[in-house]
Amino acid sequence: MLNRIVNKSILQLLLACLVFVAGPKQVFAWDTEPGANGKYDKYYDRPTHFPDWTQPSDWPNAEYYLVCARFGDNGPHIENYEVAVYDQNGKLRHCSRSRAKDNHLCTLTIKGEEGEEFHCQVIYGDDFEHPTIADVPETFGFISNDIVGSTTPFWLTVPVPESITYRLTAGWNWISSNQEAMASMTFLTDITDLTDRLVSQTQELIKDPVYGLVGNLNSVVPGTAYKLYLNAACTFTCEGQPADASMAIDLHKGWNWLGYLLTVELPIADALGNMEPSNGDRLVGQDGFAEYKNGTWTGSLEKMRPGKGYMYYSAKDAVLVYPSLSSGSNARSSQRRTVHTDDPSPPRGSISVR
């Protein structure tokens, strides 16, 4: 049963929205570039996916929802997203963006009439030109002047993606796979002509002008990082059997080529929350790095992202199990992957991006 007890501060926010929509019809020219404060339309963290949309004035009544989006039944909250509300005929009736300063909550002001049914999509992802758009299973009917989520947000459950879409640049890309082990050439099927090299911690494929890709890197396995050199930018999706994301990954003292098994991004502390890092442990990505000191990860790298590869320096032997994103068991899989090197020096290219 939805909790409909009105919290005073949230009620004030929602009533402010009521005053706004009750006024003259507004025509918006949404910002497509961030302002001096780095925000879109003064305070949002992303541009709207619906720049031409305007609040409809066909219905005199409205209902109000305070929502929060998350992955799965008990997965992490989604940050920096937009919610689109559609009626039973598939017409867009409202859109609104979350705000980081409000703990990524999103206020919906939906105008309609009794008996109507609504469903939502959540638009998320840092690539604003190619965001992920997910249908959520929750539906709700219109009740005039109803206020929902004032004490506990109304949850929008976004299905956890099974595959990863790679958007790669010309040159070096640090990548990983969330699929079960597959032949390297199968993984590269759609981008074989663009691939000049594929490098793992100990093996390699390199393009020969006569024979194509040759070398001893025979398979791409989950839990391991790879470096892929392309002669042109591309986008592709690798389809296959998703690996068990709860697979245990052995990290040994020294540098480890670490793959990311999840299909959603997580803050480093959450992604690595099931292990016990030591002071001086380091996580290096192609776009930044973080170091563990006094119980906190600090540095320019803040999140682990789907499809990315990382270099992890561990001060001791450890075991990593990524967190569960569904209501299933958190029990560790009997599968185990080792991604370490006995060489105490950093692996090739782990500090300077190639």
Side-chain angles (χ1 to χ4, degrees), residues 98 108 192 202 221 227 233 326 351:
S98 65
L108 306 179
T192 301
T202 59
V221 297
K227 296 181 182 179
S326 65
I351 303 302

Side-chain angles (χ1 to χ4, degrees), residues 251-256 275-282 311-319:
L251 300 175
H252 287 254
K253 182 177 180 180
W255 285 99
N256 302 262
M275 65 174 293
E276 297 181 2
S278 302
N279 279 334
D281 278 14
R282 281 167 276 173
M311 306 295 145
Y312 189 98
Y313 180 83
S314 183
K316 63 181 181 182
D317 290 350
V319 176

Side-chain angles (χ1 to χ4, degrees), residues 3 16 29 40 52 55 57 60 63 102 129 135 143 152 155 179 181 215 226 238 241 252 257 261 291 332-333 348 354:
N3 189 335
Y40 296 85
D52 299 324
Q55 180 79 20
S57 58
E63 64 177 350
D102 295 329
E129 293 186 2
D135 291 303
I143 301 177
T152 301
W155 291 104
Q179 306 293 314
Y226 298 88
C238 183
Q241 179 64 37
H252 287 254
W257 288 44
L261 293 178
E291 184 172 1
R332 180 174 300 170
S333 168
R348 289 177 293 167
R354 294 191 285 179

